[in-house]
Amino acid sequence: MAIESTKRDITRMNEILSVLIKYGFGNFVNRDLRSKYKIFSKVAPEAKEYDSNTRLRLVFQELGTTFIKLGQTLSTFPNLVGYDMAQELAKLQEAAPVTPYSEVEEVIEDEFGKPVDEIFEDFTKEPVASASIGQVHKAFYKNILVAVKVQHPHIQETIATDIRLMKKVAPYLNNVDTLKSYNIPAIIKVFEKDMRNELNYTIEAMNAVHMKDLLKKDEVYIPDIYLEASTSRVLTMEFLDGVSLSKVFDAPDSDYDKKKIATMGADSYIKQILIYGFYHADPHPGNIFVLDRDIVAFVDFGMMGHLSNDLRDDLANLFIFISQGDAQLLTKQLYYMGIIKDKNDFNDVQDEIIHVLDRYYGAQFNDISSVMRELVESNVLKDYGVVIPRDLMMVVRTITMVYDFGNELDSSFNTTEILKPYAKKLVLNKFSPKNIERQSHEFSMDLDYISKKIPNSIMNLLNIVSDDGQIKLSLASNELDSLNNIFTRIVNELVLAIIIAAIIVGSSLILHADIGFKLFGYSAIGLVGFLFSAILGGVLIILILTRGNY
């Protein structure tokens, strides 16, 4: 078995290296590799007709599923590989092999331990759709029409072999001067994790269930998942009687309310990103369906994005500052996020951002995604050491795709108008009682941890110093308690000051908003907030004055 595996690896490695040479990348295949795997291929004449980005796409396309998936992953790193290459790799089309029905039966029987007809009724022998990892068949499950996605046999072994070979080649490629900055081993590590998740249909099933729960009150639709009829290689879901978005693009305007579809789909994506922090990260037209009454439905939950609360808050600020065309606040936000590393570059980066914003603002600004894309993919920003986190890159990629399909459906489509209300809501939520309570709880946890660590840390430090023989100090237990109490009082007053500041900022935002009952022309809620913060401020001043300097 091991011999067969080794022989298969050698054959596949020979194929990979030969294809690289065929398309003009022979300079990356050094003598050791050529000798070890007996490579004698030459550059194909037609390869000279294409630029390097196109040739790389052709390499991935010819090498099949794993490399197509790798290329698609690289397309989400334009800040690393460059925008032109990312655009070219995004064109990669997944191969769609069709597995014979006899092999589909074997997969299902292996997974459930029983024949197909004991689980499903009227299981169609021909697939209704096929992709690189699996194919979909129609069937009935408990008298319900379902779509059964069955993984292609041996696809896991094929992908595992390719990733194993990628890891072997990666060190060689990483030693090439022009490739060192890409950190190829790290990219392959990320890719391996992505593929592990995508090959496990149980993860996709749970993603779909979670998304359906989040969006249950929205106008969009998520198909039901039948977990008892699903495994890591078989996924059973409700069959959607609709058409893919790609077909809606080409249909006459009279057949669909395209404006409604564009707005509904984009609204859902923005809500997933900013409100829930859990979003469908692969919004190509084949994964979006239109049902009766122009209802938008999502399928294929193998690739999902997860955003922390902090990143969602940061995104909300980015969206607002971009929509306002405020280069200074936008630059500050990127600095606070740690994306701009060197404060000395602040003014230069701000100037570059001003130039970007100036190109987009006209009579009506409706494409926030293009501004974000240019900012994160700008080679100019890269010159200042600005590195965009992958989580942010995936959001920008998703919003850009949403804008593209929205604009395809409706030429007047405006992402900015959809984004702004959710971004403002998220900013206001930072000052809600619930969020302040959560932040205070988190702060108190940190304080509790620090207060427990400080005495031991001080004693350890004193022990180290005294062992040196130069300084000898003694600190009684009651003095440590006194120090701890002073520190606790300081932090408590700091927490109170932060809460007062949050109430003041929140009240300022609410004061000028059209919210609730008005008093003297201003929101009564905002005025009450100011009054409450004034009272707390007075309490804080009294506490500080009465305690003196501790």
Side-chain angles (χ1 to χ4, degrees):
M1 197 73 178
I3 294 174
E4 288 180 10
S5 177
T6 303
K7 187 177 180 180
R8 186 168 58 245
D9 283 6
I10 292 172
T11 302
R12 179 60 170 161
M13 181 68 89
N14 187 291
E15 181 184 3
I16 292 168
L17 299 178
S18 296
V19 171
L20 280 171
I21 294 171
K22 173 183 174 181
Y23 287 102
F25 295 104
N27 54 316
F28 299 141
V29 183
N30 63 26
R31 289 183 179 179
D32 290 342
L33 285 172
R34 288 174 186 262
S35 173
K36 184 175 181 179
Y37 294 100
K38 296 180 173 55
I39 308 297
F40 304 106
S41 303
K42 294 182 180 179
V43 179
E46 61 269 22
K48 299 175 182 178
E49 301 173 10
Y50 305 111
D51 61 28
S52 58
N53 293 334
T54 304
R55 286 187 283 115
L56 184 61
R57 174 176 62 79
L58 293 172
V59 167
F60 288 159
Q61 192 75 54
E62 187 164 328
L63 289 175
T65 298
T66 314
F67 286 84
I68 291 171
K69 293 286 186 183
L70 175 62
Q72 291 171 340
T73 297
L74 289 173
S75 73
T76 68
F77 288 98
N79 192 250
L80 179 65
V81 301
Y83 178 53
D84 291 338
M85 182 183 290
Q87 267 197 323
E88 188 66 37
L89 295 178
K91 298 176 185 177
L92 283 164
Q93 299 295 315
E94 293 186 23
V98 175
T99 298
Y101 177 68
S102 58
E103 295 182 27
V104 170
E105 279 187 308
E106 287 180 17
V107 172
I108 293 176
E109 289 180 17
D110 286 346
E111 291 297 297
F112 294 100
K114 58 178 73 172
V116 173
D117 56 13
E118 289 187 21
I119 307 167
F120 303 103
E121 303 92 41
D122 298 327
F123 193 99
T124 59
K125 293 188 176 183
E126 294 298 321
V128 294
S130 183
S132 58
I133 291 178
Q135 62 190 47
V136 178
H137 293 257
K138 286 173 69 173
F140 281 89
Y141 176 70
K142 296 182 178 178
N143 297 319
I144 300 169
L145 183 61
V146 295
V148 184
K149 183 156 72 169
V150 183
Q151 207 167 93
H152 294 307
H154 314 301
I155 189 67
Q156 294 194 23
E157 292 88 340
T158 299
I159 291 175
T161 297
D162 281 348
I163 290 176
R164 186 167 62 249
L165 296 179
M166 287 177 188
K167 289 179 177 179
K168 286 184 179 181
V169 174
Y172 291 100
L173 297 180
N174 220 41
N175 287 328
V176 179
D177 290 339
T178 55
L179 298 178
K180 282 182 179 178
S181 62
Y182 292 109
N183 194 355
I184 291 174
I187 290 175
I188 292 173
K189 186 176 181 180
V190 171
F191 173 65
E192 182 178 22
K193 180 182 176 183
D194 288 348
M195 289 308 304
R196 194 183 303 122
N197 289 338
E198 197 167 342
L199 286 167
N200 189 341
Y201 286 172
T202 301
I203 293 175
E204 181 178 346
M206 298 312 298
N207 287 340
V209 170
H210 182 41
M211 183 63 79
K212 189 174 182 71
D213 182 60
L214 291 176
L215 303 181
K216 60 188 174 186
K217 294 182 180 179
D218 293 8
E219 291 185 85
V220 297
Y221 192 77
I222 307 296
D224 289 328
I225 303 294
Y226 299 94
L227 294 174
E228 70 279 10
S230 300
T231 69
S232 61
R233 294 203 296 159
V234 177
L235 177 60
T236 303
M237 71 183 80
E238 174 186 2
F239 186 88
L240 296 180
D241 188 12
V243 297
S244 67
L245 193 61
S246 54
K247 292 183 179 177
V248 176
F249 290 154
D250 300 326
D253 291 348
S254 57
D255 289 359
Y256 299 95
D257 186 345
K258 295 185 178 181
K259 186 179 183 71
K260 175 185 174 184
I261 294 168
T263 303
M264 187 187 301
D267 184 85
S268 178
Y269 267 106
I270 301 306
K271 189 181 291 186
Q272 290 171 39
I273 291 169
L274 287 182
I275 305 302
Y276 302 126
F278 181 73
Y279 66 98
H280 190 292
D282 192 17
H284 71 72
N287 287 340
I288 302 172
F289 278 70
V290 177
L291 312 180
D292 286 341
R293 304 191 310 280
D294 298 316
I295 299 296
V296 174
F298 301 114
V299 298
D300 197 341
F301 300 92
M303 185 187 293
M304 305 297 293
H306 303 260
L307 304 176
S308 67
N309 289 335
D310 288 343
L311 183 53
R312 283 188 286 141
D313 289 342
D314 290 336
L315 278 170
N317 286 331
L318 287 176
F319 292 151
I320 289 172
F321 299 149
I322 290 173
S323 67
Q324 293 173 342
D326 195 324
Q328 183 177 10
L329 289 181
L330 181 55
T331 309
K332 280 187 177 181
Q333 182 62 41
L334 292 173
Y335 179 73
Y336 294 153
M337 292 171 69
I339 292 173
I340 298 174
K341 304 291 185 185
D342 190 344
K343 196 171 184 179
N344 294 324
D345 293 331
F346 187 92
N347 290 332
D348 292 332
V349 173
Q350 181 176 302
D351 289 341
E352 297 296 343
I353 289 175
I354 289 172
H355 293 319
V356 172
L357 294 178
D358 284 347
R359 287 199 291 274
Y360 284 91
Y361 284 84
Q364 182 187 24
F365 174 67
N366 65 358
D367 184 12
I368 201 169
S369 60
S370 291
V371 177
M372 290 194 69
R373 181 171 61 189
E374 183 160 347
L375 285 173
V376 301
E377 295 165 356
S378 170
N379 287 326
V380 176
L381 294 185
K382 193 175 179 181
D383 291 341
Y384 293 103
V386 175
V387 178
I388 308 299
R390 190 189 183 213
D391 286 345
L392 181 55
M393 288 302 318
M394 287 184 66
V395 170
V396 173
R397 173 179 175 270
T398 299
I399 291 177
T400 300
M401 293 175 75
V402 169
Y403 173 78
D404 289 343
F405 79 62
N407 195 52
E408 180 86 14
L409 292 166
D410 173 22
S411 58
S412 64
F413 178 70
N414 191 325
T415 47
T416 307
E417 291 306 311
I418 296 172
L419 272 166
K420 282 166 70 175
Y422 289 117
K424 288 181 177 179
K425 180 180 179 181
L426 200 59
V427 171
L428 287 172
N429 279 347
K430 286 196 289 186
F431 308 107
S432 67
K434 183 179 179 180
N435 199 47
I436 290 174
E437 180 186 3
R438 186 188 68 81
Q439 289 177 336
S440 299
H441 180 66
E442 183 179 354
F443 199 89
S444 67
M445 286 175 59
D446 293 340
L447 172 61
D448 182 60
Y449 173 78
I450 292 171
S451 64
K452 289 176 180 176
K453 295 289 287 185
I454 281 179
N456 287 332
S457 298
I458 292 175
M459 293 303 296
N460 289 337
L461 177 61
L462 292 176
N463 287 335
I464 292 171
V465 173
S466 61
D467 288 344
D468 186 58
Q470 300 298 318
I471 298 174
K472 291 184 179 180
L473 293 174
S474 61
L475 200 57
S477 176
N478 62 334
E479 291 175 308
L480 282 176
D481 291 339
S482 176
L483 181 63
N484 189 40
N485 290 335
I486 291 172
F487 181 77
T488 301
R489 288 206 305 272
I490 292 172
V491 175
N492 284 340
E493 288 169 9
L494 180 60
V495 170
L496 182 57
I498 291 171
I499 292 173
I500 293 169
I503 295 173
I504 291 172
V505 174
S507 299
S508 299
L509 291 169
I510 295 171
L511 201 63
H512 297 285
D514 188 18
I515 297 175
F517 176 70
K518 296 288 175 49
L519 192 63
F520 306 115
Y522 295 100
S523 170
I525 299 173
L527 291 173
V528 170
F530 272 119
L531 179 61
F532 185 56
S533 61
I535 294 170
L536 287 178
V539 171
L540 180 60
I541 291 170
I542 292 169
L543 287 173
I544 292 173
L545 291 176
T546 54
R547 287 179 180 170
N549 50 8
Y550 300 86

